[in-house]
Amino acid sequence: MQYFEDIEVGSKTQFGRYEVTRDEVIEFARKFDPQPFHLSDEAAAQTYFGRIAASGWHTASISMSMIVAHLETTKQAGLGGLGIDDLRWWKPVYPGDTLRCEIEILEKTESRSKPDRGTYRSRLSVFNQDGEKVMSYVNTALIRRRPTEG
């Protein structure tokens, strides 16, 4: 189990692999972000994207699925997220792209009022198969401290 004490400021971890499909890009867009450039080749051709592109919110959702899978593997004593800052979509994500994640630990703080927990801030970066950053944000998370004997 990974606790607050195990988190090292400055450490970086790479994980995940997710291939984006055209069908899921369109399905997500129909439900949650029905802008024409997410739904139609013709409409997308007339935009900056040039072809159907995934919604940024779809990219964020994909990254969350990779994060959860990673947390299950590492068995982190997490208590949930407290929020994100500085969300940026750097490049479009297209059907056929394969995404991966990298997390860098920026800082950690012991709770002053609840000694059984702490928080940490990390930067999540999502990259495509060419190593190009497509999305990033800074996350603040709550995590348990290692239980003490006694």
Side-chain angles (χ1 to χ4, degrees), residues 72-84:
E72 288 173 355
T73 300
T74 59
K75 305 290 187 208
Q76 193 179 83
L79 296 168
L82 299 176
I84 63 169

Side-chain angles (χ1 to χ4, degrees), residues 78-141:
L79 296 168
L82 299 176
I84 63 169
D85 298 302
D86 301 322
L87 173 63
R88 298 286 181 269
W89 292 296
W90 297 98
K91 291 183 126 342
V93 170
Y94 296 107
D97 282 352
T98 301
L99 305 180
R100 66 174 175 84
C101 295
E102 179 180 280
I103 290 180
E104 177 184 7
I105 304 298
L106 303 175
E107 63 184 56
K108 68 181 196 176
T109 307
E110 297 175 12
S111 173
R112 285 181 236 140
S113 61
K114 298 186 178 179
D116 66 331
R117 63 193 69 177
T119 61
Y120 68 92
R121 288 175 47 88
S122 61
R123 176 176 295 108
L124 172 81
S125 298
V126 180
F127 298 91
N128 67 18
Q129 67 282 353
D130 298 321
E132 299 169 318
K133 186 186 298 185
V134 299
M135 187 186 83
S136 65
Y137 62 78
V138 174
N139 177 58
T140 303

Side-chain angles (χ1 to χ4, degrees), residues 146-150:
R146 188 177 311 286
T148 57
E149 299 293 324

Side-chain angles (χ1 to χ4, degrees), residues 23-78:
D23 288 345
E24 74 178 344
V25 166
I26 293 170
E27 180 182 355
F28 185 96
R30 279 190 185 128
K31 289 181 181 178
F32 303 111
D33 192 357
Q35 297 182 76
F37 46 82
H38 298 315
L39 297 168
S40 160
D41 289 311
E42 295 75 23
Q46 303 304 311
T47 69
Y48 153 81
F49 300 109
R51 57 191 167 113
I52 285 181
S55 165
W57 298 112
H58 187 188
T59 303
S61 296
I62 290 168
S63 72
M64 192 67 220
S65 71
M66 288 189 282
I67 291 166
V68 170
H70 176 67
L71 291 175
E72 288 173 355
T73 300
T74 59
K75 305 290 187 208
Q76 193 179 83

